[in-house]
């Protein structure tokens, strides 16, 4: 900051390079509530298949680990026990949903926000829903509004 204010651009550039080195080596853990697209996925069906945390790695992002967590619905314990067991505080979050956005998603969003962490909601299969006409575009927009309403009811972020 001092170098920037003083106009010492070589020192500023050096500080930026050093910061980028540190950031590029910093581990990033992202928990996925849903299925990882493009990765070998666990079997699906009537029974939830993810029984324990499973890490996924990419050579493109060596410091990033995507974690597939068992769903909250698979736990027979309380939410507090689930959060401790999954070591919830060590992750950033991407919540994967399709046409159905459950109260479990809302609960995870609220808990994540209460921890001071950011989360993202990714709506999968939207392109298929639009191209097949399985759901009319108006209905898809209503689902989106429903998701936002449910988040706002629980006082989870404005956006």
């Amino acid at each position: 900051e001092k170098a920037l204010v003083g106009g010492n651009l070589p020192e500023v550039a050096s500080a930026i390079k050093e910061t980028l080195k540190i950031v590029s080596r910093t581990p990033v853990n992202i928990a996925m509530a849903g299925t990882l697209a493009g990765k070998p996925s666990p079997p699906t069906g009537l029974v939830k298949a993810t029984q324990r945390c499973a890490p996924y790695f990419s050579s493109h992002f060596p410091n990033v680990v995507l974690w597939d967590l068992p769903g909250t619905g698979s736990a027979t314990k309380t939410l507090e026990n689930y959060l401790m067991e999954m070591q919830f505080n060590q992750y950033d979050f991407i919540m994967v949903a399709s046409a159905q956005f459950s109260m479990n998603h809302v609960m995870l969003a609220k808990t994540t926000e209460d921890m001071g962490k950011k989360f993202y909601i990714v709506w999968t299969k939207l392109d298929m829903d639009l191209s097949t006409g399985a759901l009319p575009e108006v209905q898809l927009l209503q689902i989106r509004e429903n998701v936002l309403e449910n988040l706002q009811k629980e006082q989870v972020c404005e956006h």
Side-chain angles (χ1 to χ4, degrees):
E1 188 177 332
K2 196 179 205 182
L4 185 60
V5 171
N8 187 344
L9 295 181
E11 190 176 331
V12 170
S14 177
I16 290 172
K17 285 180 183 176
E18 188 58 34
T19 301
L20 287 173
K21 281 182 192 175
I22 293 168
V23 168
S24 69
R25 291 185 299 237
T26 303
V28 177
N29 289 291
I30 300 174
M32 302 288 290
T35 302
L36 296 172
K39 294 289 179 192
S41 57
T44 58
L46 297 176
V47 178
K48 294 189 185 268
T50 303
Q51 298 298 315
R52 57 183 102 125
C53 300
Y56 292 88
F57 304 92
S58 168
S59 59
H60 298 291
F61 304 100
N63 62 320
V64 176
V65 181
L66 296 177
W67 291 91
D68 186 14
L69 303 182
T72 57
S74 65
T76 56
K77 303 171 187 166
T78 65
L79 175 62
E80 292 78 21
N81 287 343
Y82 174 80
L83 299 176
M84 277 196 327
E85 187 178 314
M86 295 300 128
Q87 299 176 349
F88 211 68
N89 60 344
Q90 76 177 10
Y91 305 106
D92 292 310
F93 289 88
I94 297 176
M95 293 172 206
V96 181
S98 54
Q100 190 171 21
F101 190 77
S102 70
M103 283 309 292
N104 282 344
H105 286 104
V106 173
M107 183 175 53
L108 286 174
K110 176 71 173 152
T111 301
T112 302
E113 187 175 77
D114 288 348
M115 296 171 89
K117 292 181 170 267
K118 294 198 181 287
F119 64 90
Y120 298 90
I121 299 170
V122 177
W123 189 353
T124 63
K125 302 178 187 173
L126 179 60
D127 56 340
M128 289 188 332
D129 290 340
L130 286 171
S131 68
T132 62
L135 295 172
E137 190 171 346
V138 173
Q139 188 175 356
L140 294 172
L141 292 173
Q142 288 172 341
I143 293 170
R144 179 183 180 275
E145 290 304 313
N146 188 335
V147 168
L148 294 174
E149 278 179 34
N150 284 328
L151 290 172
Q152 288 172 353
K153 278 181 195 171
E154 294 299 319
Q155 300 176 339
V156 178
C157 71
E158 293 180 24
H159 314 304

